[in-house]
Amino acid sequence: MPGPEAPLERREFSWPELEPGAILLRTLGSEVCGTDTHLWKGQLAGVPYPIIPGHVSVGRIAALGPADATGKVPEDVSGAPLEVGQVVTFLDVYGTCGRCWYCTVGHATTRCPARKVYGVTLSADDGLLGGWAEYIHLRPGVHVIPLPDELDWRAFLSGGCGMPTALHAVTLGEIAFGDTVVIQGAGPVGQCAAVLAQLRGAGSVIVIGGPKARLDAATRFGADAVIDIGTTTPAARHAAILEATGGRGADVTIEATGVPSAVPEGMRLTRDAGRYVVVGQYTNAGEAAFNPHLDLNQKHLDIRGCWGSDVGHMYRAVQVMARYRRQFPWTDLISREYGLDEAQTALEDVAAQRVVKALIVP
Amino acid sequence: MPGPEAPLERREFSWPELEPGAILLRTLGSEVCGTDTHLWKGQLAGVPYPIIPGHVSVGRIAALGPADATGKVPEDVSGAPLEVGQVVTFLDVYGTCGRCWYCTVGHATTRCPARKVYGVTLSADDGLLGGWAEYIHLRPGVHVIPLPDELDWRAFLSGGCGMPTALHAVTLGEIAFGDTVVIQGAGPVGQCAAVLAQLRGAGSVIVIGGPKARLDAATRFGADAVIDIGTTTPAARHAAILEATGGRGADVTIEATGVPSAVPEGMRLTRDAGRYVVVGQYTNAGEAAFNPHLDLNQKHLDIRGCWGSDVGHMYRAVQVMARYRRQFPWTDLISREYGLDEAQTALEDVAAQRVVKALIVP
Amino acid sequence: MPGPEAPLERREFSWPELEPGAILLRTLGSEVCGTDTHLWKGQLAGVPYPIIPGHVSVGRIAALGPADATGKVPEDVSGAPLEVGQVVTFLDVYGTCGRCWYCTVGHATTRCPARKVYGVTLSADDGLLGGWAEYIHLRPGVHVIPLPDELDWRAFLSGGCGMPTALHAVTLGEIAFGDTVVIQGAGPVGQCAAVLAQLRGAGSVIVIGGPKARLDAATRFGADAVIDIGTTTPAARHAAILEATGGRGADVTIEATGVPSAVPEGMRLTRDAGRYVVVGQYTNAGEAAFNPHLDLNQKHLDIRGCWGSDVGHMYRAVQVMARYRRQFPWTDLISREYGLDEAQTALEDVAAQRVVKALIVP
Amino acid sequence: MPGPEAPLERREFSWPELEPGAILLRTLGSEVCGTDTHLWKGQLAGVPYPIIPGHVSVGRIAALGPADATGKVPEDVSGAPLEVGQVVTFLDVYGTCGRCWYCTVGHATTRCPARKVYGVTLSADDGLLGGWAEYIHLRPGVHVIPLPDELDWRAFLSGGCGMPTALHAVTLGEIAFGDTVVIQGAGPVGQCAAVLAQLRGAGSVIVIGGPKARLDAATRFGADAVIDIGTTTPAARHAAILEATGGRGADVTIEATGVPSAVPEGMRLTRDAGRYVVVGQYTNAGEAAFNPHLDLNQKHLDIRGCWGSDVGHMYRAVQVMARYRRQFPWTDLISREYGLDEAQTALEDVAAQRVVKALIVP
């Protein structure tokens, strides 16, 4: 991706020299996600174009760098030595410093200013630092997570970065057994949140979104009800949620839409003393108005903004997808696979919401 | 149950006069649980024999008392008026005062000194206050929860009081997605905890207990592994759990055994900075020794004693059992149903662990 | 208070007949708070005028009703029997049902629909149910809290309802040791929050508000810095908070202003992954606009609406005010005392912010 | 300290060569703590004798290493560049990896296996890696915290490592406003915990310990009551705590004794549904017996083992000690200062509990 709005190009790279602790992956697949469309449209600040897109990827270890000065070889997150041939994923966030105020005192690692992201804020000028490529160069310190044998790599990628993101959001939602959970948005994050809510013992999961193909997917993955934003008004949606909850509203609502006006709507869909997680406002799309008395203070509402993922979210996403693979046929979420030369088409299909999840398979 | 160790007797009661706000249930079924065997053996203090055992029960509303002085008719927990013919359960705990220090300041309602329990601390001399009877008299203020149409009453009773108890314990366990959860004990509370751990997104659920029939049930209900206490030493069990967790130990362990020595064992099965919930030490069975440095302080361990259930646990248990009835065939947990005249046999079968869950069906 | 905007009147009541469990207090003092000015201006819905204002009050027990049917005499929150001559306060919220969904399942007692409030939603037509009176009739079930001997009743009233309200808000704020805490608002709730933040070990407490007399009071009570809203712009205030926090923003911000635009401002004053408690939006004063991406999602912000107080907040407020009375000279917060006949003046002085805290002393 | 039980020796070191990112401190002072007596008696495993004791120290920056490969100069925890002449402390724990399972997934950095501790698990053979020395060599990556101008370095050291340790424990205790807090132990950790409990708004702080000099110090620092273990039985102490709490027991108890039998005693001193933090069992001193039914399960007790400190605890300790220096005259805790040649005497005085806090001032 040479720059905003510019057509994707295929480039050749010289074979990377692996520093101590580094790893070279032969890419098996890499997801196409909404962020990639934002990158392409130039909606994110601080992106060092040209970049190789693709932040959540799976590969087979092709080569390991030498041991470091202390004799240490590359290890996975659990401390097991990595071996050539293993199928692994890795956290796209790289370089979290572990030393700044946010990393140490604030315990808010997703706000560490040093963090860089494969496929987003690392430049192609610096090497194979994105997933839409035949090989990926994992620098020393990248967090590597092996896929369990029973978890097919396509199954893992069908969640893409939506799965750790949703896992973070659903965790913040602190869903109690039997809660009614409303999900705003039926894209990958919303779909994953709807599944994960069931894996927190929700009593009822209601997905509000569109278009119909995405709502159908939500239903196949267990949503108790879906509401199509294309055919309903906010008032009708509010009435439907009250109707479904004895007049109280959702116990927990999770926003995954990207539309500012969804946020005050979500406050109103949530019951008094309920919880509202806002995870979908990834880009600046403007302001929204709300009533602090009615929508927040008198409601005794708990609202949580949710930004980014850390190693734990990715690690846990892998474990959950492996464990519940029979209950949720993950690969059904994949609408289409694209070769490297079709990456431009993939981007356009995702931007047009023609697919639920698209993969690049080099 | 006229008194400790005395044979059960069948007694006739006069037709109860319903005070304002009271309800008369025609009993559909009532569980037999470990507490009933403790009652029969006289192992609980302060029991006002004779009693009618049976604390978790389901019935059909046969009659409603008159409206109270303010014109209010009996309502369910959600505030909906109750009607003759509805199938309901109710919280056995009655009379939580809502005014004492524990109810108000301490927010620990299960430690309210005023609370009485149907089938345990309410005497048969005061009426039909237990479930092993054709009718149950619900006094004004008893918390009533309707069963959703899709939840068969037998399915609900197959969890019995084990389900809200386990729901309380699993909630305190704060299981994170992908956690390895070890359950000590394969009785009703352990079985329910093993199911509920899966409904919190556990990465792996391991049940330690016996005998084999109970472990087989745990496996059918989704446990990833079982360990038979009859054929293993504590050291072997410890080794097995370390083996299953990369040498770390369980992220969350839930004790549901009643055996004091299980508690220090459980501390050791749990990883550093993990969480251990102790819910099974319902009667005083003596002391246990542990090493405060190794087992608690250096481990940075979090241990939570869990006592009793409140309305929320029962309400949520009903919602969860209804929602996930297809995934977990609850009625498989029921080994046998007994008529009122077979109650003595039921008690003996439960005491001998010949059954997983026994029901009295009057 | 016969009705909105109508002049206060002094009325005579017949001597109340005490039902079992009831208590008659000889009023020592009762606070005048912002809510009373809202009542007088008719800004609250559902008020059964005429009312006797005064929701937080202190009195000496003049008479106790007879024991109830179970032989129980009136007790305080800790379960100790009350005696004639004791100096007590009581929770103005009365009639929380302990049975509805919010009381039982939701654990959100401040959202119980049955709750009534002395001096606000209880009518003078029903008796001496407010504090601006020589006597107060505490109905059976009112939660009574004795004042410790070492806590002068004037000292307790100097916090008024602001103290339990602030205690609730500061508790929700989960202040960590050394945190920078920003308080928006210098009225009674803000003043109390600024004190309580110091009793959570805040590293720095900054009060934003006015007028100068209130900011001076905040300084005397230990605020590390004050910012006058009368002489600063939002941008200047933002810059000042960043300057004071190494560019990060407040760890915890507590809103106690009543002004809608303060809410988006408070979001921006709070650091990434910080916490923002909104307690001051007690009446509907319109909408405010915010940017969901910048102010909430990317900030990873935690926002908590805080409504009402329960027994625990009032009980704890009494303990804290007694324990730290030497460190904080509470009575300094009282600007003036008024007799019953001066109640109208008191209302006007409070409405005009001419006083920090006003008391009615009948 | 050449080895266990061997007399301390004074050694000369060659002037250290500072690697990029390293810092050389001219030592102002270093504490002597119970850990140092454990080191001297050989009670800790894995200590690479010879060592330079002294893990919590203050120094003035004498020299800074060169910038690292990325041009980065040494910074403090807040990201500000450090300068020669600044007075700083630093976290003794060094080398927390930020990459292992405990650092990333478990969020339990104090259980990271890679962590080393200045003055404890770093050898004198490797340089000036302890505080009882004229200079201290801070390796790249050591977390440095400047002391605010208003906080005298002696005042900071009077808390020593007891302050961040107690801050961690008190944080885990989640003290609510007005709680009764019992502290078991009157050594440095206990003293600091008693102070910090007051900075959480405790309603009453009771210290159980000895000898009298330490209890007197606790009283001077604000403890509401003290109980001398030298003149009381466990039963008498239990009775005293019940008497002080309306028969309920402590809301929160914090153990800081090192004596195993204190742990079951502490469980019993805590009320039903209370919280018990065990921080003092730093070495293996054997087992203790408890009753899982009475002491844990029926009590609904929450027990938290607390191990080690991280950067946040140390950073927050500095902020709190600076902010509340007028309320708590920290330096009163220091009983005596010793020169480097008197270190042996200092160790013996601490071992014999002849002092509250001893400093080495080189």
Side-chain angles (χ1 to χ4, degrees):
Chain A
M1 189 179 281
E5 305 279 4
L8 296 193
E9 293 170 12
R10 183 158 183 162
R11 291 199 189 162
E12 296 285 320
F13 286 76
S14 59
W15 195 256
E17 195 169 339
L18 296 182
E19 56 272 57
I23 297 169
L24 189 70
L25 291 190
R26 177 66 180 89
T27 311
L28 291 168
S30 184
E31 70 155 345
V32 185
C33 102
T35 299
D36 298 309
T37 69
H38 296 312
L39 287 167
W40 184 50
K41 293 178 184 166
Q43 292 168 331
L44 297 180
V47 177
Y49 299 98
I51 60 167
I52 304 173
H55 41 287
V56 171
S57 312
V58 173
R60 191 179 296 278
I61 296 179
L64 294 166
D68 67 15
T70 66
K72 208 168 169 185
V73 295
E75 294 178 349
D76 69 17
V77 164
S78 288
L82 290 164
E83 290 173 20
V84 169
Q86 270 186 292
V87 175
V88 303
T89 187
F90 62 94
L91 185 71
D92 53 342
V93 177
Y94 160 78
T96 304
C97 75
R99 299 194 24 74
C100 73
W101 192 92
Y102 278 106
C103 279
T104 57
V105 180
H107 294 296
T109 56
T110 66
R111 300 306 302 148
C112 169
R115 66 208 301 264
K116 298 283 186 185
V117 183
Y118 270 73
V120 181
T121 59
L122 288 166
S123 172
D125 291 340
D126 293 324
L128 290 160
L129 305 174
W132 299 5
E134 291 179 351
Y135 288 89
I136 312 172
H137 178 179
L138 303 187
R139 288 186 171 170
V142 169
H143 300 284
V144 176
I145 302 167
L147 296 193
D149 291 341
E150 65 271 25
L151 181 62
D152 181 76
W153 68 262
R154 279 182 171 82
F156 171 71
L157 279 183
S158 64
C161 67
M163 187 56 80
T165 302
L167 191 144
H168 191 182
V170 171
T171 299
L172 285 181
E174 294 182 21
I175 297 169
F177 284 116
D179 272 355
T180 295
V181 178
V182 166
I183 313 285
Q184 296 176 289
V189 174
Q191 299 282 353
C192 290
V195 165
L196 291 171
Q198 297 171 63
L199 291 174
R200 294 312 267 177
S204 177
V205 178
I206 303 172
V207 175
I208 299 176
K212 187 170 178 307
R214 289 181 161 193
L215 295 179
D216 290 347
T219 300
R220 282 200 309 279
F221 276 76
D224 296 270
V226 296
I227 299 177
D228 192 329
I229 51 166
T231 61
T232 53
T233 62
R237 297 193 285 270
H238 190 221
I241 299 301
L242 291 185
E243 164 86 20
T245 55
R248 288 187 301 267
D251 296 299
V252 178
T253 302
I254 294 173
E255 184 278 337
T257 69
V259 180
S261 64
V263 177
E265 179 174 343
M267 294 181 189
R268 287 158 204 156
L269 296 177
T270 311
R271 71 163 166 88
D272 288 3
R275 197 168 293 109
Y276 184 39
V277 180
V278 175
V279 68
Q281 306 287 320
Y282 186 64
T283 57
N284 187 344
E287 295 204 325
F290 76 114
N291 184 301
H293 169 64
L294 296 176
D295 298 334
L296 175 56
N297 197 348
Q298 190 181 55
K299 272 191 102 78
H300 199 87
L301 189 64
D302 189 349
I303 305 178
R304 299 181 179 185
C306 177
W307 186 258
S309 304
D310 70 18
V311 196
H313 302 121
M314 182 64 93
Y315 176 87
R316 294 179 184 285
V318 170
Q319 313 311 315
V320 165
M321 295 188 78
R323 173 61 172 77
Y324 298 96
R325 69 193 177 281
R326 276 188 286 262
Q327 187 176 341
F328 300 102
W330 306 113
T331 47
D332 281 9
L333 286 171
I334 302 176
S335 301
R336 189 175 155 194
E337 300 185 4
Y338 303 79
L340 271 184
D341 292 328
E342 302 169 297
Q344 183 74 40
T345 312
L347 265 184
E348 289 164 12
D349 286 352
V350 167
Q353 301 196 356
R354 278 190 289 267
V355 293
V356 177
K357 176 54 70 181
L359 297 193
I360 301 292
V361 180
Chain B
M1 190 180 280
E5 305 280 2
L8 297 193
E9 294 171 10
R10 184 158 184 164
R11 290 197 188 164
E12 296 286 321
F13 285 76
S14 57
W15 195 257
E17 195 168 338
L18 295 183
E19 58 272 57
I23 297 170
L24 190 69
L25 292 189
R26 177 66 179 91
T27 312
L28 290 168
S30 183
E31 70 155 346
V32 184
C33 103
T35 300
D36 297 310
T37 68
H38 296 312
L39 286 167
W40 183 49
K41 292 178 184 167
Q43 291 167 330
L44 297 180
V47 176
Y49 298 100
I51 61 168
I52 303 173
H55 41 288
V56 171
S57 312
V58 173
R60 191 179 295 278
I61 297 180
L64 294 166
D68 68 16
T70 66
K72 207 168 170 185
V73 294
E75 293 176 349
D76 69 17
V77 163
S78 287
L82 290 164
E83 290 174 20
V84 169
Q86 270 187 293
V87 175
V88 302
T89 187
F90 61 94
L91 184 72
D92 53 341
V93 176
Y94 161 77
T96 303
C97 75
R99 301 195 21 78
C100 73
W101 192 93
Y102 278 105
C103 279
T104 57
V105 180
H107 293 295
T109 56
T110 67
R111 301 305 302 147
C112 168
R115 67 207 302 263
K116 298 283 185 184
V117 184
Y118 270 73
V120 180
T121 58
L122 287 167
S123 173
D125 291 342
D126 293 325
L128 289 160
L129 304 175
W132 300 5
E134 291 180 350
Y135 288 89
I136 311 173
H137 178 180
L138 303 187
R139 289 184 172 171
V142 168
H143 301 282
V144 175
I145 303 166
L147 296 193
D149 290 343
E150 66 271 25
L151 180 63
D152 180 77
W153 67 262
R154 279 182 171 82
F156 171 71
L157 278 183
S158 65
C161 67
M163 186 57 78
T165 301
L167 191 145
H168 190 181
V170 170
T171 299
L172 285 181
E174 292 181 24
I175 296 169
F177 283 116
D179 273 355
T180 296
V181 178
V182 167
I183 313 284
Q184 297 176 290
V189 174
Q191 299 282 353
C192 290
V195 165
L196 292 172
Q198 297 170 64
L199 290 174
R200 295 311 267 176
S204 177
V205 178
I206 304 172
V207 175
I208 299 176
K212 187 170 178 308
R214 290 181 158 192
L215 294 179
D216 289 348
T219 301
R220 282 199 310 276
F221 275 77
D224 296 271
V226 296
I227 299 178
D228 192 328
I229 50 167
T231 60
T232 52
T233 62
R237 296 192 285 269
H238 189 222
I241 298 301
L242 290 185
E243 165 86 20
T245 56
R248 289 188 301 267
D251 296 298
V252 177
T253 302
I254 294 173
E255 183 278 336
T257 69
V259 180
S261 63
V263 177
E265 179 174 344
M267 294 181 188
R268 288 159 203 154
L269 296 177
T270 310
R271 71 164 165 87
D272 288 3
R275 197 167 293 110
Y276 184 38
V277 180
V278 175
V279 67
Q281 307 286 319
Y282 186 64
T283 57
N284 186 345
E287 295 203 324
F290 77 114
N291 184 302
H293 170 64
L294 296 176
D295 298 333
L296 175 56
N297 198 348
Q298 190 182 55
K299 271 192 104 77
H300 199 86
L301 189 65
D302 189 347
I303 306 177
R304 299 182 179 185
C306 177
W307 186 257
S309 305
D310 71 18
V311 195
H313 302 119
M314 181 65 91
Y315 175 87
R316 294 177 184 285
V318 169
Q319 312 312 315
V320 165
M321 295 187 79
R323 173 60 172 77
Y324 299 96
R325 67 194 179 282
R326 277 189 285 262
Q327 188 177 341
F328 299 102
W330 305 115
T331 47
D332 281 9
L333 285 171
I334 301 176
S335 302
R336 189 174 156 195
E337 299 185 4
Y338 303 79
L340 271 185
D341 293 327
E342 301 169 298
Q344 182 75 38
T345 312
L347 265 184
E348 288 164 13
D349 286 352
V350 168
Q353 301 196 354
R354 277 190 291 264
V355 292
V356 177
K357 175 55 67 182
L359 297 193
I360 301 291
V361 181
Chain C
M1 188 179 282
E5 305 281 1
L8 297 193
E9 294 170 12
R10 183 157 183 163
R11 291 198 189 163
E12 296 286 321
F13 285 77
S14 59
W15 195 256
E17 195 168 338
L18 296 182
E19 57 273 56
I23 298 170
L24 189 70
L25 292 189
R26 177 66 180 88
T27 311
L28 291 167
S30 183
E31 70 155 344
V32 185
C33 103
T35 300
D36 298 310
T37 68
H38 295 311
L39 286 168
W40 183 50
K41 293 177 184 167
Q43 291 168 331
L44 297 180
V47 177
Y49 298 98
I51 60 167
I52 303 173
H55 41 287
V56 171
S57 312
V58 173
R60 191 179 295 277
I61 296 179
L64 294 167
D68 67 15
T70 67
K72 209 168 169 186
V73 294
E75 294 177 349
D76 68 18
V77 164
S78 288
L82 290 164
E83 290 174 20
V84 170
Q86 269 186 293
V87 175
V88 303
T89 187
F90 61 95
L91 185 71
D92 54 343
V93 176
Y94 161 77
T96 305
C97 75
R99 298 195 23 75
C100 73
W101 192 93
Y102 278 105
C103 279
T104 57
V105 180
H107 293 297
T109 56
T110 67
R111 300 306 302 149
C112 169
R115 67 206 302 263
K116 297 283 184 183
V117 184
Y118 271 73
V120 181
T121 58
L122 288 167
S123 173
D125 291 342
D126 293 325
L128 290 160
L129 305 175
W132 299 4
E134 291 180 350
Y135 289 88
I136 311 172
H137 179 180
L138 303 187
R139 287 185 172 172
V142 169
H143 301 283
V144 176
I145 302 167
L147 296 193
D149 290 342
E150 65 271 24
L151 180 62
D152 180 77
W153 67 262
R154 278 182 173 81
F156 171 71
L157 279 183
S158 63
C161 68
M163 186 56 79
T165 301
L167 191 144
H168 191 181
V170 170
T171 299
L172 285 180
E174 294 182 22
I175 297 168
F177 283 116
D179 272 355
T180 296
V181 179
V182 166
I183 313 286
Q184 296 176 288
V189 174
Q191 299 282 352
C192 290
V195 165
L196 291 172
Q198 297 172 63
L199 291 175
R200 294 313 265 178
S204 177
V205 178
I206 303 172
V207 175
I208 300 176
K212 187 170 180 306
R214 289 181 161 193
L215 295 178
D216 290 347
T219 300
R220 283 199 310 277
F221 276 78
D224 296 87
V226 296
I227 298 177
D228 192 329
I229 51 167
T231 62
T232 53
T233 62
R237 296 193 285 270
H238 190 221
I241 299 299
L242 290 184
E243 164 86 20
T245 55
R248 289 187 301 267
D251 297 297
V252 177
T253 303
I254 295 173
E255 184 278 336
T257 70
V259 180
S261 63
V263 176
E265 179 175 343
M267 295 181 188
R268 288 159 203 154
L269 296 177
T270 311
R271 70 163 167 89
D272 288 3
R275 197 168 293 111
Y276 184 38
V277 180
V278 175
V279 67
Q281 306 287 319
Y282 186 64
T283 58
N284 187 343
E287 295 204 324
F290 76 114
N291 185 300
H293 170 64
L294 296 175
D295 298 333
L296 175 56
N297 198 349
Q298 190 182 55
K299 271 192 104 75
H300 199 86
L301 189 64
D302 189 347
I303 306 178
R304 299 181 179 185
C306 176
W307 186 257
S309 305
D310 70 17
V311 195
H313 302 120
M314 181 64 93
Y315 176 87
R316 294 179 183 284
V318 170
Q319 313 311 315
V320 165
M321 296 189 78
R323 173 61 173 76
Y324 299 96
R325 68 194 178 281
R326 276 187 286 262
Q327 188 176 340
F328 300 102
W330 306 114
T331 47
D332 281 9
L333 286 171
I334 301 176
S335 301
R336 189 175 155 194
E337 299 185 5
Y338 302 80
L340 272 184
D341 292 328
E342 302 169 297
Q344 182 74 40
T345 312
L347 265 183
E348 289 164 11
D349 286 352
V350 167
Q353 302 196 355
R354 278 191 290 265
V355 292
V356 178
K357 176 54 69 181
L359 297 193
I360 301 291
V361 180
Chain D
M1 188 179 280
E5 305 279 3
L8 296 193
E9 292 171 12
R10 182 157 183 163
R11 292 198 188 161
E12 297 285 320
F13 285 76
S14 57
W15 195 256
E17 195 168 337
L18 295 183
E19 57 273 57
I23 298 169
L24 189 70
L25 292 189
R26 176 67 179 90
T27 311
L28 290 168
S30 184
E31 69 155 345
V32 185
C33 102
T35 300
D36 298 309
T37 68
H38 296 312
L39 287 166
W40 185 49
K41 292 178 183 167
Q43 291 167 331
L44 296 181
V47 177
Y49 298 100
I51 60 166
I52 303 173
H55 42 285
V56 172
S57 313
V58 173
R60 191 179 295 278
I61 295 179
L64 294 166
D68 67 16
T70 66
K72 206 167 171 187
V73 295
E75 293 177 349
D76 68 18
V77 164
S78 288
L82 290 164
E83 291 174 19
V84 170
Q86 270 186 292
V87 176
V88 303
T89 187
F90 61 94
L91 185 70
D92 53 342
V93 176
Y94 161 76
T96 305
C97 74
R99 300 194 23 76
C100 73
W101 192 93
Y102 277 106
C103 279
T104 56
V105 180
H107 293 296
T109 56
T110 67
R111 301 305 302 148
C112 169
R115 67 207 302 262
K116 297 282 185 185
V117 184
Y118 270 73
V120 181
T121 58
L122 288 167
S123 173
D125 291 342
D126 293 325
L128 289 160
L129 305 174
W132 300 6
E134 291 179 352
Y135 288 89
I136 311 173
H137 179 180
L138 302 188
R139 290 185 169 170
V142 169
H143 301 283
V144 176
I145 302 166
L147 296 193
D149 290 342
E150 65 270 24
L151 180 62
D152 180 77
W153 66 262
R154 280 182 171 82
F156 171 70
L157 279 182
S158 64
C161 67
M163 186 57 79
T165 302
L167 191 145
H168 190 182
V170 170
T171 298
L172 285 181
E174 293 182 24
I175 296 169
F177 283 116
D179 272 355
T180 296
V181 179
V182 166
I183 313 286
Q184 296 176 289
V189 174
Q191 299 282 353
C192 290
V195 165
L196 291 171
Q198 297 171 64
L199 291 174
R200 294 311 267 178
S204 176
V205 178
I206 303 173
V207 176
I208 300 176
K212 188 170 177 307
R214 291 181 159 193
L215 294 180
D216 289 348
T219 300
R220 282 199 311 277
F221 275 77
D224 296 88
V226 296
I227 299 177
D228 192 329
I229 50 166
T231 61
T232 52
T233 61
R237 297 193 285 270
H238 189 223
I241 299 302
L242 290 185
E243 164 85 20
T245 55
R248 289 187 300 266
D251 296 298
V252 177
T253 302
I254 295 174
E255 184 278 335
T257 69
V259 180
S261 63
V263 177
E265 179 174 343
M267 294 180 189
R268 287 159 203 155
L269 296 178
T270 310
R271 71 163 166 87
D272 288 2
R275 198 168 292 110
Y276 184 38
V277 180
V278 175
V279 68
Q281 308 286 320
Y282 186 64
T283 57
N284 186 344
E287 296 203 324
F290 76 114
N291 184 301
H293 170 64
L294 296 175
D295 297 335
L296 175 56
N297 198 348
Q298 191 182 55
K299 271 192 104 75
H300 199 86
L301 189 66
D302 189 347
I303 306 177
R304 298 179 180 188
C306 177
W307 186 258
S309 304
D310 70 18
V311 196
H313 302 120
M314 182 64 93
Y315 175 87
R316 294 179 183 284
V318 170
Q319 313 312 316
V320 165
M321 295 187 78
R323 172 61 172 76
Y324 298 96
R325 66 194 180 280
R326 277 189 285 263
Q327 187 176 341
F328 299 102
W330 305 114
T331 47
D332 281 9
L333 286 171
I334 301 176
S335 301
R336 190 175 155 193
E337 299 185 6
Y338 303 78
L340 271 184
D341 293 328
E342 301 170 299
Q344 182 74 40
T345 312
L347 264 184
E348 289 165 12
D349 285 352
V350 167
Q353 300 196 355
R354 278 190 290 265
V355 292
V356 177
K357 176 54 69 182
L359 297 193
I360 301 291
V361 180

